[in-house]
Coordinates of all heavy atoms in Angstrom, one line a residue:
M1 N 12.2 -14.4 35.9 CA 11.4 -14.5 34.6 C 12.1 -13.8 33.5 O 12.5 -12.6 33.7 CB 10.0 -13.9 34.9 CG 8.9 -14.6 34.1 SD 7.3 -14.0 34.6 CE 6.8 -13.2 33.1
P2 N 12.2 -14.4 32.3 CA 12.9 -13.7 31.2 C 12.0 -12.5 30.7 O 10.8 -12.6 30.8 CB 13.1 -14.8 30.2 CG 12.0 -15.8 30.5 CD 11.8 -15.7 32.0
A3 N 12.7 -11.6 30.1 CA 11.9 -10.4 29.5 C 11.0 -11.0 28.4 O 11.4 -11.8 27.6 CB 12.9 -9.4 29.0
T4 N 9.8 -10.5 28.4 CA 8.9 -10.9 27.3 C 9.2 -10.2 26.0 O 9.9 -9.2 26.0 CB 7.4 -10.6 27.7 OG1 7.3 -9.1 27.8 CG2 7.1 -11.2 29.0
A5 N 8.8 -10.8 24.9 CA 9.0 -10.2 23.6 C 8.4 -8.8 23.5 O 8.9 -7.9 22.9 CB 8.4 -11.1 22.5
Q6 N 7.3 -8.7 24.2 CA 6.5 -7.4 24.2 C 7.4 -6.3 24.7 O 7.5 -5.2 24.1 CB 5.3 -7.5 25.1 CG 4.2 -6.6 24.8 CD 3.5 -7.0 23.5 OE1 3.3 -8.2 23.3 NE2 3.1 -6.1 22.6
T7 N 8.1 -6.5 25.8 CA 8.9 -5.5 26.5 C 10.1 -5.2 25.5 O 10.4 -4.0 25.4 CB 9.5 -6.1 27.8 OG1 8.5 -6.7 28.5 CG2 10.1 -5.0 28.6
T8 N 10.7 -6.2 24.9 CA 11.8 -6.0 24.0 C 11.4 -5.2 22.8 O 12.1 -4.2 22.4 CB 12.4 -7.3 23.6 OG1 12.4 -8.2 24.7 CG2 13.8 -7.1 23.0
Q9 N 10.2 -5.5 22.3 CA 9.8 -4.9 21.1 C 9.6 -3.4 21.2 O 9.9 -2.6 20.3 CB 8.4 -5.5 20.7 CG 8.3 -5.8 19.2 CD 7.3 -7.0 19.0 OE1 6.7 -7.4 19.9 NE2 7.2 -7.4 17.7
T10 N 9.1 -2.9 22.3 CA 8.8 -1.5 22.5 C 10.2 -0.7 22.5 O 10.2 0.5 22.2 CB 8.1 -1.2 23.8 OG1 8.7 -1.9 24.9 CG2 6.6 -1.6 23.7
A11 N 11.3 -1.4 22.8 CA 12.6 -0.7 22.9 C 13.2 -0.6 21.5 O 14.2 0.1 21.4 CB 13.5 -1.5 23.9
V12 N 12.7 -1.3 20.6 CA 13.3 -1.3 19.2 C 12.8 -0.1 18.4 O 11.6 0.2 18.4 CB 12.9 -2.6 18.5 CG1 13.4 -2.5 17.0 CG2 13.5 -3.8 19.2
T13 N 13.8 0.6 17.8 CA 13.4 1.8 17.0 C 13.1 1.3 15.6 O 13.9 0.5 15.0 CB 14.6 2.8 16.9 OG1 15.0 3.0 18.2 CG2 14.1 4.1 16.3
W14 N 12.0 1.7 15.0 CA 11.6 1.2 13.7 C 12.3 2.1 12.7 O 12.5 3.3 12.9 CB 10.1 1.4 13.5 CG 9.3 0.3 14.2 CD1 9.7 -0.5 15.3 CD2 8.0 0.0 14.0 NE1 8.7 -1.3 15.7 CE2 7.6 -1.0 14.9 CE3 7.0 0.4 13.0 CZ2 6.4 -1.6 14.9 CZ3 5.8 -0.2 13.0 CH2 5.4 -1.2 14.0
P15 N 12.8 1.4 11.6 CA 13.4 2.2 10.5 C 12.4 3.2 9.9 O 11.2 3.0 10.0 CB 13.8 1.2 9.4 CG 13.7 -0.1 10.2 CD 12.7 0.0 11.3
E16 N 12.9 4.3 9.3 CA 12.0 5.3 8.8 C 11.1 4.8 7.7 O 11.6 4.0 6.8 CB 12.8 6.5 8.2 CG 12.0 7.7 8.0 CD 12.8 8.9 7.7 OE1 14.0 8.9 8.1 OE2 12.3 9.9 7.1
G17 N 9.8 5.1 7.7 CA 8.9 4.7 6.6 C 8.2 3.4 6.9 O 7.2 3.1 6.3
V18 N 8.7 2.7 7.9 CA 8.0 1.4 8.3 C 6.7 1.7 9.0 O 6.7 2.4 10.0 CB 9.0 0.5 9.2 CG1 8.2 -0.7 9.7 CG2 10.2 0.1 8.3
I19 N 5.6 1.1 8.5 CA 4.3 1.4 9.1 C 3.8 0.1 9.9 O 2.9 0.3 10.7 CB 3.3 1.8 8.1 CG1 3.2 0.8 7.0 CG2 3.6 3.2 7.5 CD1 2.0 1.0 6.0
A20 N 4.4 -1.0 9.7 CA 4.0 -2.2 10.4 C 5.1 -3.2 10.3 O 5.9 -3.3 9.3 CB 2.7 -2.8 9.8
R21 N 5.2 -4.1 11.3 CA 6.2 -5.1 11.3 C 5.6 -6.4 11.8 O 4.8 -6.4 12.7 CB 7.4 -4.8 12.3 CG 8.0 -3.5 12.1 CD 9.3 -3.3 12.8 NE 10.4 -3.7 12.0 CZ 11.7 -3.6 12.3 NH1 12.1 -3.2 13.5 NH2 12.7 -3.9 11.4
Y22 N 6.0 -7.5 11.1 CA 5.5 -8.8 11.5 C 6.7 -9.7 11.9 O 7.6 -10.0 11.1 CB 4.7 -9.5 10.3 CG 3.5 -8.7 9.9 CD1 3.6 -7.6 9.1 CD2 2.3 -9.0 10.5 CE1 2.5 -6.8 8.8 CE2 1.2 -8.3 10.2 CZ 1.3 -7.1 9.3 OH 0.2 -6.4 9.0
L23 N 6.7 -10.1 13.1 CA 7.8 -11.0 13.6 C 7.7 -12.3 12.9 O 6.7 -12.9 12.8 CB 7.6 -11.1 15.1 CG 8.7 -11.8 15.9 CD1 10.0 -11.0 15.8 CD2 8.3 -12.1 17.3
T24 N 8.8 -12.8 12.4 CA 8.8 -14.0 11.7 C 8.9 -15.2 12.6 O 9.2 -15.0 13.8 CB 10.0 -14.1 10.7 OG1 11.2 -14.3 11.4 CG2 10.1 -12.9 9.7
D25 N 8.7 -16.4 12.1 CA 8.8 -17.6 12.8 C 10.2 -17.8 13.5 O 10.3 -18.1 14.6 CB 8.5 -18.8 11.9 CG 8.0 -20.0 12.7 OD1 7.3 -19.8 13.7 OD2 8.4 -21.1 12.3
A26 N 11.2 -17.5 12.7 CA 12.6 -17.5 13.2 C 12.8 -16.5 14.2 O 13.5 -16.7 15.2 CB 13.6 -17.4 12.0
G27 N 12.3 -15.3 14.0 CA 12.4 -14.2 15.0 C 11.9 -14.6 16.4 O 12.4 -14.3 17.4
K28 N 10.7 -15.3 16.3 CA 10.1 -15.8 17.6 C 11.0 -16.8 18.2 O 11.2 -16.8 19.4 CB 8.7 -16.4 17.2 CG 7.6 -15.5 17.3 CD 6.3 -16.3 17.0 CE 5.5 -15.7 15.9 NZ 4.4 -16.5 15.4
A29 N 11.5 -17.7 17.4 CA 12.3 -18.8 17.9 C 13.6 -18.3 18.7 O 14.0 -18.8 19.7 CB 12.7 -19.8 16.8
I30 N 14.2 -17.3 18.1 CA 15.5 -16.8 18.7 C 15.2 -15.5 19.6 O 16.1 -15.0 20.2 CB 16.5 -16.4 17.7 CG1 16.1 -15.3 16.7 CG2 16.9 -17.7 16.9 CD1 17.2 -14.8 15.8
G31 N 13.9 -15.1 19.6 CA 13.6 -14.0 20.5 C 14.2 -12.6 20.1 O 14.5 -11.8 20.9
D32 N 14.4 -12.5 18.7 CA 14.9 -11.2 18.2 C 13.8 -10.4 17.6 O 13.3 -10.8 16.5 CB 16.0 -11.5 17.2 CG 16.7 -10.3 16.7 OD1 16.1 -9.2 16.8 OD2 17.8 -10.4 16.2
P33 N 13.4 -9.3 18.2 CA 12.3 -8.5 17.6 C 12.6 -7.8 16.3 O 11.7 -7.1 15.8 CB 12.0 -7.5 18.8 CG 13.3 -7.4 19.5 CD 14.0 -8.7 19.4
T34 N 13.8 -7.8 15.9 CA 14.1 -7.1 14.6 C 14.1 -8.1 13.4 O 14.3 -7.7 12.3 CB 15.5 -6.5 14.7 OG1 16.5 -7.5 14.8 CG2 15.6 -5.5 15.8
V35 N 13.8 -9.4 13.7 CA 13.7 -10.3 12.6 C 12.2 -10.3 12.1 O 11.4 -11.0 12.7 CB 14.1 -11.7 13.0 CG1 14.0 -12.7 11.9 CG2 15.6 -11.7 13.5
T36 N 12.0 -9.5 11.2 CA 10.6 -9.2 10.8 C 10.4 -9.1 9.3 O 11.3 -9.0 8.6 CB 10.2 -7.8 11.4 OG1 11.1 -6.8 11.0 CG2 10.1 -7.8 13.0
V37 N 9.1 -9.0 9.0 CA 8.7 -8.6 7.6 C 8.1 -7.2 7.8 O 7.2 -7.0 8.6 CB 7.6 -9.5 7.0 CG1 7.3 -9.1 5.6 CG2 8.1 -11.0 7.0
D38 N 8.7 -6.2 7.2 CA 8.3 -4.8 7.4 C 7.4 -4.3 6.2 O 7.5 -4.7 5.1 CB 9.5 -3.9 7.4 CG 10.4 -4.1 8.6 OD1 10.0 -4.9 9.5 OD2 11.4 -3.5 8.7
L39 N 6.4 -3.5 6.6 CA 5.6 -2.8 5.6 C 6.2 -1.4 5.5 O 6.3 -0.7 6.6 CB 4.2 -2.7 6.0 CG 3.3 -4.0 6.1 CD1 1.9 -3.7 6.1 CD2 3.7 -5.0 5.0
I40 N 6.5 -1.0 4.3 CA 7.1 0.4 4.1 C 6.2 1.2 3.2 O 6.0 0.7 2.0 CB 8.6 0.2 3.6 CG1 9.4 -0.6 4.6 CG2 9.2 1.6 3.3 CD1 10.5 -1.4 4.0
E41 N 5.7 2.3 3.6 CA 4.9 3.1 2.8 C 5.8 4.0 1.9 O 6.6 4.7 2.4 CB 3.9 4.0 3.6 CG 2.9 4.6 2.7 CD 1.8 5.3 3.6 OE1 1.3 4.6 4.5 OE2 1.4 6.4 3.2
K42 N 5.5 3.9 0.6 CA 6.2 4.7 -0.4 C 5.3 5.7 -1.0 O 4.1 5.8 -0.6 CB 6.9 3.8 -1.4 CG 7.8 2.7 -0.8 CD 8.8 2.2 -1.7 CE 8.1 1.4 -2.8 NZ 9.1 0.7 -3.7
D43 N 5.7 6.4 -2.0 CA 4.9 7.5 -2.7 C 3.6 6.9 -3.3 O 2.6 7.5 -3.2 CB 5.7 8.2 -3.7 CG 6.7 9.1 -3.1 OD1 6.6 9.4 -1.9 OD2 7.7 9.6 -3.8
D44 N 3.7 5.8 -4.0 CA 2.5 5.3 -4.6 C 2.3 3.8 -4.4 O 1.7 3.1 -5.2 CB 2.6 5.6 -6.1 CG 3.9 5.0 -6.8 OD1 4.7 4.4 -6.0 OD2 4.0 5.2 -8.0
S45 N 3.0 3.2 -3.4 CA 2.8 1.8 -3.1 C 3.2 1.5 -1.7 O 3.8 2.4 -1.0 CB 3.7 1.0 -4.1 OG 5.1 1.3 -3.8
V46 N 2.9 0.3 -1.3 CA 3.3 -0.2 0.0 C 4.2 -1.4 -0.2 O 3.8 -2.4 -0.9 CB 2.2 -0.5 0.9 CG1 2.6 -1.1 2.3 CG2 1.3 0.7 1.2
L47 N 5.4 -1.4 0.3 CA 6.4 -2.5 0.1 C 6.4 -3.4 1.3 O 6.5 -2.9 2.4 CB 7.8 -1.9 -0.2 CG 8.9 -2.9 -0.4 CD1 8.7 -3.6 -1.7 CD2 10.2 -2.2 -0.3
A48 N 6.2 -4.7 1.1 CA 6.4 -5.6 2.1 C 7.7 -6.3 1.9 O 8.0 -6.8 0.8 CB 5.3 -6.7 2.1
R49 N 8.6 -6.3 2.9 CA 9.9 -6.8 2.8 C 10.4 -7.5 4.0 O 10.3 -7.0 5.1 CB 10.9 -5.6 2.5 CG 12.3 -6.1 2.1 CD 13.1 -5.0 1.6 NE 13.3 -4.0 2.7 CZ 13.7 -2.7 2.4 NH1 14.0 -2.3 1.2 NH2 13.9 -1.9 3.4
C50 N 10.9 -8.7 3.7 CA 11.5 -9.5 4.8 C 12.9 -8.9 5.1 O 13.7 -8.7 4.2 CB 11.6 -11.0 4.4 SG 12.3 -12.0 5.7
T51 N 13.2 -8.7 6.4 CA 14.5 -8.1 6.7 C 15.6 -9.1 6.7 O 16.8 -8.8 6.8 CB 14.4 -7.5 8.2 OG1 14.1 -8.5 9.1 CG2 13.4 -6.4 8.2
V52 N 15.3 -10.4 6.5 CA 16.3 -11.4 6.5 C 16.5 -12.0 5.1 O 17.6 -12.1 4.6 CB 16.0 -12.5 7.5 CG1 17.2 -13.5 7.6 CG2 15.7 -12.0 8.8
C53 N 15.4 -12.5 4.4 CA 15.5 -13.1 3.1 C 15.8 -12.0 2.1 O 15.1 -11.0 2.0 CB 14.2 -13.8 2.7 SG 13.6 -15.0 3.8
P54 N 16.9 -12.2 1.3 CA 17.3 -11.1 0.3 C 16.2 -10.9 -0.8 O 16.1 -9.8 -1.2 CB 18.6 -11.6 -0.3 CG 18.7 -13.1 0.1 CD 17.8 -13.3 1.3
D55 N 15.5 -11.9 -1.2 CA 14.6 -11.7 -2.3 C 13.2 -11.7 -2.0 O 12.3 -11.7 -2.8 CB 14.9 -12.8 -3.4 CG 16.3 -12.7 -4.0 OD1 16.7 -11.6 -4.2 OD2 16.9 -13.8 -4.2
S56 N 12.9 -11.8 -0.7 CA 11.5 -11.8 -0.3 C 10.9 -10.4 -0.1 O 11.0 -9.9 1.0 CB 11.3 -12.6 1.0 OG 11.6 -14.0 0.7
E57 N 10.4 -9.9 -1.1 CA 9.7 -8.6 -1.0 C 8.6 -8.5 -2.1 O 8.6 -9.2 -3.1 CB 10.6 -7.4 -1.1 CG 11.4 -7.3 -2.4 CD 12.2 -6.0 -2.5 OE1 12.8 -5.7 -1.4 OE2 12.2 -5.4 -3.5
A58 N 7.6 -7.7 -1.8 CA 6.5 -7.6 -2.7 C 6.0 -6.1 -2.6 O 5.8 -5.6 -1.5 CB 5.4 -8.6 -2.4
D59 N 5.8 -5.5 -3.8 CA 5.4 -4.1 -3.8 C 3.9 -4.1 -4.2 O 3.5 -4.6 -5.3 CB 6.2 -3.4 -4.9 CG 6.5 -2.0 -4.6 OD1 5.8 -1.5 -3.7 OD2 7.3 -1.3 -5.3
F60 N 3.1 -3.4 -3.5 CA 1.7 -3.3 -3.8 C 1.3 -1.8 -4.1 O 1.4 -1.0 -3.2 CB 0.9 -3.8 -2.6 CG 1.1 -5.3 -2.3 CD1 2.1 -5.7 -1.5 CD2 0.3 -6.2 -3.0 CE1 2.4 -7.0 -1.2 CE2 0.6 -7.6 -2.7 CZ 1.6 -8.0 -1.9
S61 N 1.0 -1.6 -5.3 CA 0.6 -0.2 -5.8 C -0.7 0.2 -5.1 O -1.6 -0.6 -4.9 CB 0.5 -0.2 -7.3 OG 1.7 -0.5 -7.9
F62 N -0.8 1.5 -4.9 CA -2.1 2.0 -4.4 C -3.2 1.7 -5.4 O -2.9 1.7 -6.7 CB -2.0 3.5 -4.2 CG -1.1 3.9 -3.0 CD1 -0.7 5.2 -2.9 CD2 -0.7 3.0 -2.1 CE1 0.1 5.6 -1.9 CE2 0.2 3.4 -1.1 CZ 0.6 4.7 -0.9
D63 N -4.4 1.5 -5.0 CA -5.5 1.2 -5.9 C -5.7 2.3 -6.8 O -6.0 3.4 -6.4 CB -6.7 0.9 -5.0 CG -7.9 0.4 -5.9 OD1 -7.8 0.5 -7.1 OD2 -8.9 0.0 -5.3
P64 N -5.5 2.1 -8.2 CA -5.7 3.2 -9.1 C -7.1 3.7 -9.2 O -7.4 4.8 -9.7 CB -5.2 2.6 -10.4 CG -5.3 1.2 -10.3 CD -5.1 0.9 -8.8
M65 N -8.1 2.9 -8.7 CA -9.5 3.3 -8.8 C -9.9 4.2 -7.6 O -11.0 4.7 -7.6 CB -10.4 2.0 -8.8 CG -10.1 1.1 -9.9 SD -10.2 1.8 -11.6 CE -12.0 1.8 -11.7
C66 N -9.0 4.3 -6.6 CA -9.3 5.0 -5.4 C -8.3 6.1 -5.3 O -7.2 6.1 -5.9 CB -9.3 4.2 -4.2 SG -10.5 2.8 -4.2
T67 N -8.6 7.0 -4.4 CA -7.6 8.1 -4.1 C -7.4 8.2 -2.6 O -8.3 7.8 -1.8 CB -8.1 9.5 -4.6 OG1 -9.4 9.7 -4.2 CG2 -8.0 9.5 -6.1
G68 N -6.4 8.9 -2.2 CA -6.2 9.2 -0.8 C -6.1 8.0 0.1 O -5.5 7.0 -0.2
A69 N -6.7 8.1 1.3 CA -6.6 7.1 2.3 C -7.2 5.7 1.9 O -6.7 4.7 2.3 CB -7.4 7.5 3.6
R70 N -8.2 5.7 1.0 CA -8.8 4.5 0.6 C -7.7 3.7 -0.3 O -7.6 2.5 -0.2 CB -10.0 4.7 -0.3 CG -11.2 4.9 0.6 CD -12.5 4.8 -0.2 NE -12.7 3.5 -0.8 CZ -13.6 3.2 -1.7 NH1 -14.4 4.2 -2.2 NH2 -13.7 2.0 -2.2
A71 N -7.1 4.4 -1.2 CA -6.1 3.8 -2.0 C -4.9 3.2 -1.2 O -4.4 2.1 -1.4 CB -5.5 4.8 -3.0
T72 N -4.5 4.0 -0.2 CA -3.4 3.6 0.7 C -3.8 2.4 1.5 O -3.1 1.4 1.6 CB -3.0 4.7 1.6 OG1 -2.9 5.9 0.9 CG2 -1.7 4.5 2.3
G73 N -5.0 2.4 2.0 CA -5.6 1.4 2.8 C -5.6 0.0 2.1 O -5.3 -1.0 2.6
W74 N -6.0 0.1 0.8 CA -6.1 -1.1 0.0 C -4.8 -1.7 -0.2 O -4.6 -2.9 0.0 CB -6.7 -0.7 -1.4 CG -7.0 -1.9 -2.2 CD1 -8.1 -2.7 -2.2 CD2 -6.1 -2.5 -3.2 NE1 -8.0 -3.7 -3.1 CE2 -6.8 -3.6 -3.7 CE3 -4.9 -2.1 -3.7 CZ2 -6.3 -4.4 -4.8 CZ3 -4.3 -2.9 -4.7 CH2 -5.0 -4.0 -5.2
A75 N -3.8 -0.9 -0.5 CA -2.4 -1.4 -0.7 C -1.8 -2.0 0.6 O -1.2 -3.0 0.6 CB -1.5 -0.3 -1.3
T76 N -2.1 -1.3 1.7 CA -1.6 -1.7 3.0 C -2.2 -3.0 3.3 O -1.5 -3.9 3.9 CB -2.0 -0.6 4.0 OG1 -1.4 0.6 3.6 CG2 -1.4 -1.0 5.4
K77 N -3.4 -3.2 3.0 CA -4.1 -4.5 3.4 C -3.5 -5.7 2.6 O -3.2 -6.7 3.1 CB -5.6 -4.4 3.0 CG -6.5 -5.3 3.9 CD -7.9 -4.9 3.7 CE -8.8 -6.2 3.7 NZ -10.2 -5.9 3.4
Q78 N -3.2 -5.4 1.3 CA -2.6 -6.5 0.4 C -1.2 -6.8 1.0 O -0.8 -8.0 1.1 CB -2.5 -6.0 -1.0 CG -3.7 -5.5 -1.7 CD -4.7 -6.7 -1.8 OE1 -4.4 -7.7 -2.3 NE2 -6.0 -6.5 -1.4
A79 N -0.5 -5.7 1.3 CA 0.9 -5.9 1.8 C 0.9 -6.6 3.1 O 1.8 -7.5 3.4 CB 1.6 -4.6 1.9
A80 N 0.0 -6.3 4.0 CA -0.1 -6.9 5.3 C -0.4 -8.4 5.2 O 0.2 -9.2 5.9 CB -1.2 -6.2 6.1
T81 N -1.3 -8.8 4.2 CA -1.6 -10.2 4.0 C -0.4 -10.9 3.6 O -0.1 -12.0 4.1 CB -2.7 -10.3 3.0 OG1 -3.9 -9.5 3.4 CG2 -3.1 -11.7 2.8
W82 N 0.4 -10.3 2.7 CA 1.6 -11.0 2.2 C 2.6 -11.1 3.3 O 3.2 -12.2 3.5 CB 2.2 -10.1 1.0 CG 3.3 -10.8 0.3 CD1 3.3 -11.5 -0.8 CD2 4.7 -10.7 0.7 NE1 4.6 -12.0 -1.1 CE2 5.5 -11.5 -0.2 CE3 5.4 -10.1 1.8 CZ2 6.8 -11.7 -0.1 CZ3 6.8 -10.3 1.9 CH2 7.5 -11.1 1.0
A83 N 2.8 -10.0 4.1 CA 3.8 -10.0 5.1 C 3.4 -11.0 6.2 O 4.3 -11.8 6.7 CB 3.8 -8.6 5.8
Q84 N 2.2 -11.1 6.5 CA 1.7 -12.1 7.5 C 2.0 -13.5 7.1 O 2.5 -14.3 7.8 CB 0.2 -11.9 7.8 CG -0.4 -12.8 8.8 CD -0.1 -12.3 10.2 OE1 -0.4 -11.2 10.5 NE2 0.4 -13.1 11.1
A85 N 1.7 -13.8 5.8 CA 1.9 -15.1 5.3 C 3.4 -15.5 5.3 O 3.8 -16.6 5.6 CB 1.3 -15.2 3.9
H86 N 4.2 -14.5 4.9 CA 5.6 -14.8 4.8 C 6.2 -15.0 6.2 O 7.0 -15.9 6.5 CB 6.4 -13.7 4.1 CG 7.9 -14.0 4.0 ND1 8.4 -14.9 3.0 CD2 8.9 -13.6 4.7 CE1 9.7 -15.0 3.2 NE2 10.0 -14.2 4.2
A87 N 5.8 -14.1 7.1 CA 6.3 -14.2 8.5 C 6.0 -15.5 9.2 O 6.8 -16.0 9.9 CB 5.7 -13.0 9.3
E88 N 4.8 -16.1 8.8 CA 4.5 -17.3 9.5 C 5.3 -18.5 9.1 O 5.5 -19.5 9.8 CB 3.0 -17.7 9.1 CG 2.0 -16.9 10.0 CD 0.6 -17.1 9.6 OE1 0.3 -18.0 8.8 OE2 -0.2 -16.3 10.1
V89 N 5.9 -18.5 7.9 CA 6.7 -19.6 7.3 C 8.2 -19.3 7.3 O 9.0 -20.2 7.0 CB 6.2 -20.0 6.0 CG1 4.7 -20.5 6.0 CG2 6.3 -18.9 4.9
C90 N 8.6 -18.0 7.5 CA 10.0 -17.7 7.3 C 10.9 -18.2 8.4 O 10.6 -17.9 9.6 CB 10.1 -16.2 7.2 SG 11.8 -15.7 6.9
R91 N 11.8 -19.0 8.1 CA 12.7 -19.6 9.0 C 14.1 -19.1 8.9 O 15.1 -19.6 9.5 CB 12.8 -21.2 8.8 CG 11.4 -21.9 8.8 CD 10.8 -22.0 10.2 NE 11.6 -22.8 11.1 CZ 11.4 -22.9 12.4 NH1 10.5 -22.2 13.0 NH2 12.2 -23.6 13.2
A92 N 14.3 -18.1 8.1 CA 15.6 -17.5 7.8 C 16.2 -16.8 9.0 O 15.4 -16.1 9.7 CB 15.6 -16.6 6.6
L93 N 17.4 -17.0 9.3 CA 18.1 -16.4 10.4 C 18.9 -15.2 10.0 O 19.5 -15.3 8.9 CB 18.9 -17.4 11.2 CG 18.1 -18.5 11.9 CD1 19.1 -19.5 12.4 CD2 17.3 -17.9 13.1
P94 N 19.0 -14.2 10.7 CA 19.9 -13.1 10.3 C 21.4 -13.5 10.5 O 21.7 -14.3 11.3 CB 19.6 -11.9 11.3 CG 19.0 -12.7 12.5 CD 18.3 -13.9 12.0
R95 N 22.2 -12.9 9.6 CA 23.6 -13.2 9.7 C 24.2 -12.5 11.0 O 23.8 -11.3 11.2 CB 24.3 -12.5 8.5 CG 25.8 -12.9 8.3 CD 26.4 -12.0 7.3 NE 25.7 -12.2 6.0 CZ 26.4 -12.7 4.9 NH1 27.6 -13.0 5.0 NH2 25.7 -12.8 3.8
P96 N 25.0 -13.2 11.7 CA 25.5 -12.6 13.0 C 26.3 -11.3 12.7 O 27.1 -11.3 11.7 CB 26.3 -13.7 13.6 CG 26.0 -14.9 12.9 CD 25.5 -14.5 11.6
T97 N 26.1 -10.3 13.4 CA 26.9 -9.0 13.2 C 27.9 -8.9 14.4 O 27.6 -8.6 15.5 CB 26.0 -7.8 13.2 OG1 25.1 -7.9 14.4 CG2 25.1 -7.7 12.0
A98 N 29.1 -9.4 14.1 CA 30.1 -9.4 15.1 C 31.4 -8.7 14.6 O 31.6 -8.5 13.4 CB 30.4 -10.8 15.6
Ligands
ZN101 ZN1 11.9 -14.2 5.1

């Protein structure tokens, strides 16, 4: 039986600042757990960024009407929605590193 994606995923080290990752459609197809859309928490925003598409990223500022965890949570939710939507349709493959 081949190794499951779950097993592989736990062995991958996440880059610093990454708070969530969404495996893309292409990532699923080739079984590469690093082909993802990452959520990266910054000082005043949460960045959603595709690790493969060069221009696919969106920055969500913390809610100016809220403070602390609520503001962060709001931005994270927006970023997560964007990341999920992009991951579902992203067919981009990573450039081979050889
Ligand atoms: Zn992408």
Side-chain angles (χ1 to χ4, degrees):
M1 212 172 115
T4 63
Q6 205 74 37
T7 316
T8 318
Q9 224 153 5
T10 49
V12 173
T13 311
W14 287 19
E16 196 171 336
V18 171
I19 55 172
R21 305 192 96 176
Y22 297 83
L23 188 65
T24 70
D25 202 36
K28 268 184 235 168
I30 62 172
D32 185 339
T34 65
V35 180
T36 55
V37 182
D38 290 355
L39 295 197
I40 300 146
E41 192 171 313
K42 304 199 295 184
D43 286 343
D44 57 359
S45 66
V46 176
L47 179 70
R49 185 170 64 195
C50 182
T51 57
V52 189
C53 305
D55 296 322
S56 291
E57 62 174 44
D59 209 352
F60 297 89
S61 299
F62 292 166
D63 187 348
M65 304 301 283
C66 302
T67 52
R70 278 193 64 193
T72 315
W74 185 85
T76 304
K77 207 170 147 187
Q78 304 296 311
T81 302
W82 188 94
Q84 181 80 53
H86 182 79
E88 278 171 18
V89 299
C90 185
R91 307 285 299 168
L93 294 169
R95 186 192 300 246
T97 51

